[in-house]
Amino acid sequence: MFELAIFDAALRMATPLILTALGGLFSERSGVINIALEGILLTGAFASIVATFYTGDPWVGAFAGILAGVLVSLIHAIVSIVFKADQIVSGVAINLLAMGATQFLTWIIWGSSANSPPVAGMAHWTLPESWGALARGVNAVIGHYPPLVYVALAAVFVSHLVLWRTPFGLRLRATGEHPEAVETLGVNVRKMRFAGVLLSGALAGLGGAFLALNTHQFVKNMSAGRGYIALAAMIFGKWNPLGALAACLLFGYAEAVQMGLQGRGVPTQFVQMIPYVLTMVALVGVIGRTRPPAASGKPY
Amino acid sequence: MAAANAIEMRGITKGYPRVLANDRVDLDVRKGEIHAIVGENGAGKSTLMKILYGLTPPDAGEIRLEGTRLNKHRPSDAIRAGLGMVHQHFMLVDTLTVAENVVLGEEPRVAGIMIDAAAARERVEKLSSQYGFELDPDEYIENLSVGLEQRVEIVKVLYRGARILILDEPTGVLTPQEVSELFVILRALREAGCTIVFITHKLDEVIELADRVTVMRDGRVTGVVEAAETTKEDLARMMVGRDVLLRVEKAPATAGDTVLAVRGLAAVGRKGTKVLEDVDLEIRAGEVLGVAGVQGNGQTELVEVLTGLRKAHAGEVLLGGADVTGLTPRAIRDLGVAHIPEDRQARGLVLEFTVAENLVLGRHHREPFSRRGVLRLDAIREHASELIRENDLRPPDPDVAAGTLSGGNQQKVIVAREFDGEPTLLVASQPTRGVDIGAVEFVHQSLLEMRDRGAAVLLVSAELSEIMTLSDRIAVMYGGRIVATFESGEVDEETLGLAMTGAWTGGATARSDGDRRATPEVTAA
């Protein structure tokens, strides 16, 4: 259970969670609960494979994932910010819509009810072998994982800086805590919340793209609750990026262990529960001791 | 031409579906004066200020700030024009620091995109020392007292270059000491050339602080007077439209047997902190015990424990000699305890329910209001009509939702329900918070009436004047303890205020058990 291969897999499993959890964080910090992350993740995964399928370029696929995420989150933003509808209801509706729509479009595009044909994955960032020792060193560090793994890790630190060191971050956090206060200071609460929700869509969409590109195809309902697990990780990480990173690595590890244990005699049904059980245990341990943004979930 | 008026509002009209909040209101505030706007709740003061600040657009009217016309403006325009508002409910983000709250929305920057935290801190420190605010820029808001929070609000508007400050009910949550400190600050700001508008319903403060006064009633201006040339009585008449009893007539108490006895009561809060510690109390039939204290010093928790809403950690509560510690709220109610909760909308009423339904809550499960588990709607309505008539509730309709009533009438519904059925102990928490003078009069008279009919009354209030006029004895809470108890009439506001800050030491040395009337009794310091 502690082989290097497990840690290796853990980081890959954690990557979509990290991006999605960061997304959830921007949204909730602005005061909008984004349970639609699950659907956004799924849509992002689907869009990335469609784009890669037609262009042959997984980077175009990644961009398509982001775009799809932003579009889906735009629905959530309009419904919950402009029309002040219940954010949970809107999120659940989007998740159901995403599940049905991606499956339907899979059938329309590829004539399959289950999955897309395989597409090219993302090439690792490597230097040519001819560069010698330098290339070997760089490749061992940077070339080991798909590029989006590094993008996700960088996003954690960038998010941290944005949230705690920029005027935008200060306003976003204040909006999630006390929107009236922000409004009286002449900051537009709506704009801040739109920014938070759309950013969350972009990040979760990219997370979906990684999820699909890493397996080189789209499989129906492939998000499999990862959007919810990412939300749990965000809560477990106390609504801050470094905490969320740690929580995602833990959940990613559970998922890797789960995959490692399959076919080793333990009934798969139990093995497959591991990440979800861990999520619940973590939440039970942490709930009541953390504090969500005060205005999170409250329409303004 | 330099305008002599800092603020000019002409013919401001604003209607809401059921009320005309502002009806052709004119307001002139001269440069460099302290101008008070007084009126009852619902008179339209807050609406007027929201319109001025750009939070609400008026239906009609014209606004000029220092001669410049504002049209369809937003708060950001008002701020730019030199207006700053200190809201009644502070607009501070608890989880941010003082400096962050001050610069929010107008952050000093380095490299274009990052916040210049050092500059923010420096600006706050400079403003703070200039007016003697004594604020630590790095402290988090949640760790500050209410008085300090208010100073942060003032620094916030000064940081934005405000020359005109609006303070909405600034003294409601302050101790007397904090109020006098605030007045010192406001006068200093006036000397520095600022114009100050302050909204209040406390007439003493108007007379003490203001240069001029605008009085509002029912959305209209009913008078503009020089503070030096008016009296409290005149102002009250303009506010209410009739003569008002500013002092309650009260006969001396004829106290009987002990109704409530509390011994060594302790309770812990959400984070395991002690919110009540070693509280001893005793109230006899026919007397009012007032509990004074700055909000958040255990009064809320004390009331919750007494009414069964919160678990006691240690100690006991005896009602008529019987131990009721740990009983459910219903069991305690059934023993004759009435409760006027401090948050009437959250705990006193179900706003979506009708007045008739609200009037039987807590007794709805008993005869005659239900039989064999089924509500008897006729009995409930009849009961409601009776109470509506007796208590002059408006509108006199048992079928309207409680949420549509004015604050004063909502409170009357609660009072009518709780006083119905001869309670032996009455726990009243902030019974007149946010209600108009007429309803205050009603609540006060009702409380004393209950007392004279032999009920024991526990009155928790943040209004010192209320505590002093109604109480027979006064207990002061600080930090979850009762730090002093006084006989009413033997103590002045100064002393009470001092005790509320925990700084009272007067009784510790001069304590003499022989003469309770002359010497305040100090328990558990």
Side-chain angles (χ1 to χ4, degrees), chain B residues 382-401:
Chain B
E382 200 175 306
H383 168 80
S385 307
E386 209 170 290
L387 287 186
I388 286 171
R389 207 166 37 244
E390 276 170 25
N391 296 288
D392 188 27
L393 290 178
R394 284 184 210 167
D397 179 356
D399 297 324
V400 295

Side-chain angles (χ1 to χ4, degrees), chain A:
Chain A
M1 221 190 272
F2 296 100
E3 301 107 29
L4 200 61
I6 297 274
F7 289 109
D8 205 70
L11 189 53
R12 288 165 197 266
M13 294 294 131
T15 298
L17 296 181
I18 293 168
L19 288 166
T20 310
L22 289 177
L25 217 136
F26 277 104
S27 182
E28 292 224 355
R29 282 286 184 180
S30 80
V32 180
I33 294 176
N34 195 350
I35 211 166
L37 287 176
E38 173 74 11
I40 294 170
L41 195 66
L42 187 63
T43 316
F46 177 78
S48 72
I49 295 299
V50 173
T52 311
F53 179 79
Y54 285 114
T55 64
D57 184 349
W59 281 100
V60 174
F63 183 74
I66 295 176
L67 193 68
V70 170
L71 287 177
V72 177
S73 64
L74 186 62
I75 303 176
H76 187 54
I78 290 172
V79 170
S80 54
I81 301 169
V82 179
F83 295 107
K84 301 181 183 7
D86 188 294
Q87 298 167 6
I88 303 290
V89 173
S90 161
V92 170
I94 286 172
N95 289 345
L96 293 174
L97 176 70
M99 238 202 293
T102 52
Q103 205 176 338
F104 177 66
L105 291 172
T106 301
W107 189 76
I108 295 282
I109 298 174
W110 297 299
S112 160
S113 63
N115 49 260
S116 74
V119 299
M122 219 172 250
H124 291 200
W125 279 325
T126 52
L127 293 174
E129 288 289 334
S130 57
W131 288 33
L134 174 71
R136 277 196 297 282
V138 168
N139 294 350
V141 181
I142 307 286
H144 187 66
Y145 293 105
L148 289 184
V149 171
Y150 303 103
V151 171
L153 292 175
V156 172
F157 295 99
V158 172
S159 299
H160 181 85
L161 285 180
V162 167
L163 282 169
W164 272 275
R165 293 280 181 272
T166 67
F168 172 78
L170 179 65
R171 294 172 187 191
L172 191 81
R173 286 185 291 136
T175 304
E177 291 286 342
H178 197 337
E180 292 83 4
V182 174
E183 188 82 44
T184 55
L185 295 176
V187 177
N188 190 327
V189 169
R190 259 188 194 199
K191 265 190 206 157
M192 293 312 297
R193 289 198 160 177
F194 261 95
V197 176
L198 296 187
L199 260 175
S200 88
L203 285 160
L206 186 62
F210 175 84
L211 189 67
L213 290 171
N214 197 40
T215 43
H216 301 274
Q217 66 172 174
F218 177 78
V219 181
K220 82 164 183 188
N221 202 17
M222 72 186 305
S223 51
R226 284 186 181 82
Y228 303 121
I229 294 183
L231 275 176
M234 169 197 79
I235 295 169
F236 194 38
K238 299 186 173 177
W239 285 269
N240 77 60
L242 298 174
L245 171 64
C248 289
L249 289 173
L250 179 69
F251 292 155
Y253 176 71
E255 221 175 313
V257 167
Q258 179 253 121
M259 287 170 65
L261 277 181
Q262 281 190 21
R264 291 202 192 176
V266 190
T268 44
Q269 288 85 346
F270 286 100
V271 172
Q272 283 173 349
M273 282 184 205
I274 291 175
Y276 305 97
V277 170
L278 182 72
T279 305
M280 284 199 283
V281 170
L283 282 184
V284 168
V286 82
I287 273 170
R289 267 181 277 146
T290 60
R291 186 165 63 172
S296 185
K298 294 188 186 123
Y300 180 77

